[in-house]
Amino acid sequence: MSTIHLQFGSTQVPLSKSIMNRVPAIGPALVVVAALGLAGCSQEKVEVKDIVRPVKVVEIAKANDTRELSYSGSVRARTEMNLGFRINGKITERLVDIGQRVKPGDVLARIDPADYALSVKSAEASLEAAERQVETTGLARRRAEQLFAKTFASKSQLEQATLSYDQAVATRNSARSSLDQAKNQVLYTDLKADRDGIVTSVTADVGQVVGSGTPVVTVAVDGEKEVLIAVPEMDIAQFKPGKNVKASFWSDDALTLDGKVREVAGSADQQSRTFAVRVSLPNNPRVLLGMTANIEASAANNSSQSVSIPLSALAQKEGQQIVWTVDRNGETVHARPIKVAEFTADGVHVAEGLNPGDVVVAAGTQFMTENLKVKLTGDAVQQSASADDDGDAAKRVR
């Protein structure tokens, strides 16, 4: 008698054709069900284990009493002179370049002196004419005095001669002053440095016509250097003249100097809405003009920003912002409502709902459920309002 085998997984159940022919129509179905029961009994029991997802946690630390402020700026000379000609003219020479050192008396640039030389000649001629006029009126006055002494001239004639002489003397003095002024203008055609320093910029060149006072060359005076930083209005109250700060430099990590706030702008910039703060630096030959500096200062911590959590720790449940906290004793997670103060580049500042010592799930919040069992494998890294990176301030738990 041939036998038919039914395959169920790895189990074969034999069925003879005679049995199949003797059962009614419903018989094969019952046989199949029975076979399935036998196959199920032969399979091994599968042990189901709970899957614990790895998460990251941070421990809320007590907020620091102070916070660190850091602003970048550039090194500049305390005194910078924008030098320009005292007269109008066309630049004919530029004798210095950017970065060149200068000392008092060095000629930086020249303008065309031709017109001013002609003014000197004109003033000299005017003075010569005034001198001759003084001589002429002097002779007339002396003659009037002689005639008046001999009663050949009236007193009014003497007074008139004396008045003409005095007027000629005044005209001569004016001509002398005009000559001196013309000579000075010739000297002003040379733009000279009056203090030791270094040329930091040139704003006019040969061939350009400039007016009096137009900046042509900028010279940074040797001496004290400072860092100019821009501070937003929320932190400007922390900077007062005389405040001690630390200055570090991007080009030299080993160089750190003690600086002091020298000047704070009285009003904000119209465009950036920041306040200019100048920090004086001690004299150090390694500090060069134009270097990028970082100014660090301590400030009182704002009580409204007591704790901070990574952005990845924030979750929502039923339209409410929550975090998942870990119960150390029961090793379970629980949802806790919080009140967010603000979002920052460092994470989320929490105003209410968290206390120092709370352990918060920092990642994987979408997989959390109430009373989910977890196992801490290490101490959670503390996270406070001064934390910068949620990735570094977290440890895995299972």
Side-chain angles (χ1 to χ4, degrees):
M1 180 180 298
S2 60
T3 303
I4 299 175
H5 292 80
L6 295 179
Q7 185 76 26
F8 298 97
S10 60
T11 305
Q12 291 184 348
V13 180
L15 292 177
S16 64
K17 289 185 179 181
S18 61
I19 295 176
M20 293 296 294
N21 292 333
R22 278 185 250 172
V23 295
I26 196 172
L30 295 176
V31 172
V32 171
V33 171
L36 289 174
L38 293 174
C41 293
S42 62
Q43 292 180 352
E44 296 181 358
K45 293 183 180 181
V46 178
E47 182 181 357
V48 179
K49 295 183 180 180
D50 293 337
I51 299 176
V52 180
R53 297 181 181 273
V55 294
K56 295 180 180 180
V57 296
V58 291
E59 180 181 353
I60 303 302
K62 182 180 179 181
N64 296 327
D65 295 333
T66 61
R67 58 192 176 97
E68 294 297 324
L69 301 178
S70 179
Y71 294 99
S72 297
S74 59
V75 178
R76 54 189 300 172
R78 177 171 180 174
T79 303
E80 288 187 350
M81 301 184 301
N82 295 319
L83 302 179
F85 291 100
R86 300 171 66 175
I87 54 177
N88 306 326
K90 179 180 180 180
I91 299 178
T92 57
E93 289 183 89
R94 178 171 62 85
L95 305 176
V96 294
D97 295 315
I98 296 177
Q100 183 174 336
R101 299 201 61 83
V102 296
K103 59 182 183 295
D106 287 350
V107 179
L108 310 179
R110 287 193 177 97
I111 61 175
D112 189 0
D115 293 340
Y116 299 101
L118 293 176
S119 297
V120 171
K121 292 183 179 180
S122 177
E124 289 175 345
S126 297
L127 177 60
E128 184 66 22
E131 292 284 4
R132 301 290 78 80
Q133 186 65 24
V134 169
E135 292 178 0
T136 301
T137 55
L139 292 175
R141 188 189 66 169
R142 285 194 297 271
R143 183 172 178 80
E145 290 174 349
Q146 293 173 359
L147 293 176
F148 178 76
K150 295 178 180 180
T151 68
F152 290 139
S154 64
K155 187 175 180 179
S156 60
Q157 291 176 333
L158 175 61
E159 290 176 348
Q160 183 177 3
T162 302
L163 184 61
S164 298
Y165 175 77
D166 292 341
Q167 184 177 2
V169 170
T171 302
R172 181 193 62 186
N173 294 338
S174 176
R176 283 178 178 174
S177 298
S178 297
L179 177 59
D180 292 340
Q181 184 178 9
K183 289 180 178 179
N184 287 339
Q185 288 182 332
V186 172
L187 296 177
Y188 296 156
T189 58
D190 290 343
L191 179 61
K192 297 181 179 180
D194 56 0
R195 299 178 67 179
D196 292 327
I198 184 172
V199 178
T200 57
S201 67
V202 176
T203 54
D205 215 328
V206 175
Q208 184 173 344
V209 178
V210 295
S212 59
T214 302
V216 176
V217 177
T218 301
V219 176
V221 179
D222 289 346
E224 185 177 355
K225 297 181 178 68
E226 64 182 17
V227 178
L228 177 63
I229 58 176
V231 179
E233 56 186 82
M234 66 180 66
D235 290 332
I236 191 60
Q238 305 296 335
F239 290 87
K240 301 293 183 183
K243 180 181 179 66
N244 294 321
V245 297
K246 290 288 185 180
S248 57
F249 303 88
W250 290 5
S251 60
D252 192 346
D253 295 337
L255 179 60
T256 301
L257 301 178
D258 294 327
K260 183 174 292 186
V261 175
R262 181 180 68 83
E263 177 183 298
V264 178
S267 60
D269 183 81
Q270 292 292 335
Q271 296 181 349
S272 65
R273 307 307 305 166
T274 57
F275 292 80
V277 176
R278 299 176 183 270
V279 178
S280 297
L281 299 177
N283 188 19
N284 191 303
R286 297 163 64 184
V287 178
L288 305 178
L289 297 177
M291 291 176 61
T292 302
N294 191 57
I295 300 299
E296 296 180 355
S298 299
N301 198 6
N302 190 348
S303 59
S304 63
Q305 300 175 357
S306 56
V307 295
S308 174
I309 60 174
L311 182 60
S312 57
L314 187 64
Q316 280 196 347
K317 184 179 182 181
E318 298 178 355
Q320 188 176 16
Q321 292 175 329
I322 65 166
V323 295
W324 292 96
T325 60
V326 179
D327 182 3
R328 289 183 181 271
N329 297 326
E331 295 185 343
T332 55
V333 295
H334 306 278
R336 181 182 296 182
I338 61 170
K339 182 179 179 180
V340 175
E342 62 176 340
F343 293 87
T344 67
D346 299 336
V348 182
H349 286 170
V350 179
E352 297 177 3
L354 290 176
N355 300 312
D358 290 340
V359 178
V360 176
V361 176
T365 56
Q366 67 272 26
F367 303 115
M368 298 295 102
T369 58
E370 190 68 22
N371 293 319
L372 178 68
K373 294 284 289 185
V374 295
K375 182 179 180 181
L376 296 174
T377 59
D379 295 333
V381 175
Q382 289 189 339
Q383 169 99 359
S384 66
S386 61
D388 329 10
D389 188 357
D390 56 309
D392 294 337
K395 285 188 177 292
R396 289 188 175 273
V397 299
R398 283 188 174 273

